[in-house]
Amino acid sequence: MIVLLLIAAGASALVFQARYDSERDARHRSLAAAEAFAHAPGIAAALLSADPTARLQPLAEAARQGSGVDFIAVMNIQGIRYTDSRPELIGRRATGDLSRAVAGHAFTETFRGEPSDAVRAVVPIRNADGVVVGLVGTGIEVENVSQVVEGQLPLLLGAAAGALLLGTSGAALVSGRLRRQTRGLGAAEMSRINEHHEAVLHAVREGVVIIDAEQRLVLANDEARRLLGLPPDPENRHVTDLGLDPRTAELLASGRVVTDHVHLAGDRLLAVNVRPTKEYRGMSTGSVVTLRDSTELAALSGRAEVARGRLQLLYDAGVRIGTTLDVVRTAEELSEVAVPRFADFVTVELLEPVLHGEEPSMITGVYTEMRRAAITGVRADSPLQPVGDIIRFVVPTAPMAAALDAGQAVLAADLRAAMGWRAQDAQGTRVALDYGLHSLISVPLQARGVVLGMANFWRAADTPEPFDEEDRSFAAELGARAAVSIDNARRFTREHAVAVTLQRSLLPRVLPAQNAVDVAYRYLPAKAGVGGDWFDVIPLPGGRVALVVGDVVGHGVHAAATMGRLRTAVHNFSTLDLPPDELLGHLDELIDRIDQNDTGGGPAGGDEEGAAEEVMDGAAEPAGVTGATCLYAVYDPVSGRCRMASAGHPGPALVRPGGDVEFPELPAGLPLGVGGMPFEAAEFTLPEGSRLVLFTDGLVEDRDRDFDTGLHLLREALAQPGRSPDQACSDVLAAMLFPVPSDDIALLIADTRRLEADRIAEWEVPGEASAVSRVRNAGAAQLAAWGLDEISFTTELILSELITNAIRYGSAPVRVRLLRDRTLICEVSDGSSTSPHLRYAATTDEGGRGLFLVAQYADRWGTRYTDRGKVIWAELPLTGGPEPPVADPLDLDALEDLAW
């Protein structure tokens, strides 16, 4: 109401002030307009003219509009109007008292009367002699003055309403806040609350101290006085004057933030918390200190610390045990993690089958023999049997035997009283007791209900406290966790051994004999599991050799088995003597069919059986072969040409005779099994003495080394001339082998050779039958020069058949080549792609026995296709052997008429 009255009074005052100001402004404007018009040049002369109205009315109207007044009236001294804003008033006398103006005085007044109420000014008009000759009256009607004030009323009322709203809102907010802070309580209730506050403050079992910014004590409850031993009247005294020890006084006066700080005050352990109070007007108001007596918790804190250490030890055991999947190393990790935080010495014994990755016996009962796999102690000198010894448990009452029999941890708190343990090995136990061993916990290592071994935790003189029941429970938990890791390592060892055995049985054990290259190889399985890397050296007809290296993605038995399938497929396709790109194409198609059969994507009717087999095998999903890579290279020692193609595999390294190392560019090919794109081959001419290095990506790439860095290191390792392939293999692995390879490594180094020119004989055969005998005779002469007279007859027979059929059924050009290598190789080439077939001729047939004779006399024979025809080849041993029996002596000239 007070605010409302104040606003109403202020609004009324503003209205009256606005009305007063508007009226005063109207007087000033009217007087100014009248003075200006009265003193305007020519006004006096116009009044004395014959028609003053005609001359003054336009001037007066223009002046009225310019000055903003409501009327300008020019009158004579009798008050008769010559001009007026209302033409009907011209000629009429103006009302009101004009005497002051006639007397020569200008004045303003609020006129009320006819024709309207107005605020007007009357100014005399003087001639040149200063005589008043007329009057000028100007004014603003009172109605227009009121309208100005009324126009300001909305603003004034709005401002008043806003002020009223703000005032009432502020009052309501203040009232509401007061009600919230006091919760609607009156003075009596507030006094009661204060009494309760005082009672609680001094009754709590936690000391409360308030210190101001000047480090003076403001408040201390009864518990704080008791804990700190404060004097009777400590308020308003500096903390250094309270008789506290310097450390306590410094802590209270520091003002720093402290949380649960354990502070020794006299014979008490106090948990201290210090917090600064909130700032007030930018100034710190001090700090609040709470004190809690924790003397009774000191004993419990030690036990809590021990429990915290045990939990941390279990966590460390979970992290450190079982990192390598090696049985012995896992046992060592168990012994290492428990020393010295739990025991002074730890020994781990395992069953013999477990050490070799085999399945331990499921028969329950007492195990009498184990082999010590690990021992760790706080000192190097140990009274216990070393690693590798056989540990026997022959006394049933000994802690080890009792633990194995019961299947749970057994505690021997005092070894001097453990008669069974002492009876097991009287001499050894005497040495152990003299050394200081005094307490033991034996824990059987069991996984899946099967005993794997035994862990023994010993305490010596370094830890005088013996083991207790809590320690036994902890040791059992630690042993259970370690047993799972040991069992995982055992199972991995078994699978790894099976995979390694399978893989080594599938890889070549002895490289075949051939003269094209001098080969050395290395194969290293990954530590994390056997993979699918493989290599091969395959002799081809014509003294050529195929060098193969490949990689199957993945590890384990499946990868090894897949590798064996691919290697067999490469061998089979190589017998067709296909170019490298075509061979990889056939291999890719074969893998597609294998994938379809393995994943159940084959023809209808085979899905159910395949799915059933997968369910029986327990496989989560069928495993395909997709992801294999292969590099296939064919080297010809006669021409020195090397043709190779890659299916997603890294290209080879080429070491020139001078030691320069380069990595030839090969057309990029997709991995096998991806399909969709043909493979391309690249061909190079290799100088004699060049070195080809084929490898898998495991040699150059790993998690800690990228492929380009690996190639750079390989280039440096190979750029050392004068080494044999075997020495080069050893040096490369020494320079590039990872400490723990994550993938298999296959390395194949081949030094190329050339077949000497004196071991090669070639003839161009004209397309006429008479040329057969000439070439045959030339071949016989060449065999005599080579000292191969023993096989001359067989060679002439084969040459006759092959040349005759090439002339008869092939097309030009026909060429013959003899190669003296490990065997004698006879090659007849022509421009036709017609493939010959071996068949059995009937007794009535006149021909058809030619290839049959070739197959009988040659060790091997076959056909390979070239870019412009084919080559029929046959291999014969360099020494004459038993020849197939024939009924009559053969006429070689007559054999020329035999057909294919």
Side-chain angles (χ1 to χ4, degrees), residues 97-405:
D97 184 11
L98 304 176
S99 58
R100 288 179 291 176
V102 174
H105 300 288
F107 67 91
T108 60
E109 63 177 355
T110 301
F111 173 77
R112 298 187 182 279
E114 294 295 336
S116 61
D117 298 338
V119 176
R120 71 177 181 176
V122 181
V123 177
I125 301 174
R126 301 175 184 273
N127 59 12
D129 299 330
V131 178
V132 175
V133 295
L135 304 174
V136 177
T138 62
I140 299 175
E141 296 180 355
V142 174
E143 180 180 358
N144 292 336
V145 174
S146 299
Q147 288 179 353
V148 173
V149 177
E150 292 173 356
Q152 297 178 355
L153 283 179
L155 178 61
L156 293 175
L157 294 177
L164 178 61
L165 179 62
L166 291 176
T168 54
S169 300
L173 290 175
V174 172
S175 300
R177 183 171 183 180
L178 288 176
R179 284 194 298 271
R180 287 194 303 273
Q181 290 182 343
T182 62
R183 300 185 181 276
L185 301 177
E189 289 83 358
M190 294 295 294
S191 298
R192 190 179 304 111
I193 288 176
N194 184 61
E195 294 173 358
H196 293 167
H197 171 264
E198 292 292 331
V200 172
L201 179 64
H202 294 287
V204 294
R205 295 287 296 171
E206 186 166 346
V208 179
V209 177
I210 299 178
I211 300 172
D212 62 12
E214 297 178 355
Q215 300 180 357
R216 294 182 180 275
L217 190 144
V218 177
L219 174 67
N221 67 349
D222 294 342
E223 183 68 10
R225 295 169 188 263
R226 183 183 70 84
L227 295 177
L228 296 177
L230 297 177
D233 297 318
E235 286 80 6
N236 298 322
R237 296 172 64 178
H238 199 276
V239 293
T240 57
D241 298 333
L242 297 176
L244 304 174
D245 64 271
R247 293 177 59 254
T248 304
E250 190 277 333
L251 178 62
L252 297 179
S254 64
R256 65 179 184 272
V257 176
V258 175
T259 302
D260 290 336
H261 172 69
V262 179
H263 179 77
L264 179 63
D267 58 348
R268 292 186 176 90
L269 284 178
L270 302 181
V272 182
N273 291 273
V274 181
R275 292 291 186 275
T277 57
K278 293 184 178 180
E279 294 184 355
Y280 177 70
R281 294 182 179 178
M283 300 177 61
S284 175
T285 57
S287 58
V288 177
V289 182
T290 61
L291 310 167
R292 186 173 66 255
D293 191 356
S294 61
T295 305
E296 299 177 355
L297 300 177
L300 296 177
S301 63
R303 298 181 63 184
E305 185 65 26
V306 171
R308 187 181 304 111
R310 296 288 171 81
L311 289 175
Q312 182 63 38
L313 181 55
L314 285 177
Y315 172 77
D316 293 343
V319 174
R320 294 175 55 185
I321 298 176
T323 59
T324 61
L325 290 176
D326 181 81
V327 175
V328 174
R329 180 55 193 156
T330 304
E332 293 173 350
E333 290 169 344
L334 168 60
S335 64
E336 292 169 357
V337 78
V339 176
R341 289 188 288 175
F342 179 66
D344 296 327
F345 290 90
V346 176
T347 59
V348 180
E349 294 81 41
L350 298 176
L351 294 170
E352 285 288 349
V354 175
L355 290 171
H356 298 92
E358 300 174 5
E359 188 75 21
S361 174
M362 299 291 292
I363 302 175
T364 59
V366 177
Y367 295 85
T368 58
E369 287 189 1
M370 292 185 185
R371 187 175 295 277
R372 179 148 291 168
I375 180 171
T376 301
V378 293
R379 295 193 298 271
D381 58 324
S382 169
L384 302 171
Q385 291 177 254
V387 173
D389 276 11
I390 296 296
I391 310 299
R392 293 179 175 84
F393 313 116
V394 295
V395 179
T397 57
M400 299 84 164
L404 290 171
D405 185 45

Side-chain angles (χ1 to χ4, degrees), residues 92 100 144 154 227 230 343 359 407 454 462 537 567 614 616 649 698 729 733 735 845 849 864:
R92 297 175 60 181
R100 288 179 291 176
N144 292 336
L227 295 177
L230 297 177
E359 188 75 21
M454 166 71 63
D462 301 82
V537 178
R567 180 170 176 257
E614 291 167 9
M616 293 177 63
H649 198 87
C729 284
L733 291 183
D845 291 342
R849 299 175 180 83
R864 72 171 183 269

Side-chain angles (χ1 to χ4, degrees), residues 624-664:
V625 187
T626 302
T629 64
C630 182
L631 176 65
Y632 188 86
V634 176
Y635 173 69
D636 187 353
V638 177
S639 61
R641 304 288 291 175
C642 181
R643 188 171 186 178
M644 62 184 69
S646 171
H649 198 87
L654 175 59
V655 184
R656 298 287 182 178
D660 296 333
V661 182
E662 61 184 68
F663 297 94

Side-chain angles (χ1 to χ4, degrees), residues 535-549:
F535 63 91
D536 229 326
V537 178
I538 305 173
L540 297 177
R544 297 168 301 134
V545 64
L547 304 176
V548 190
V549 66

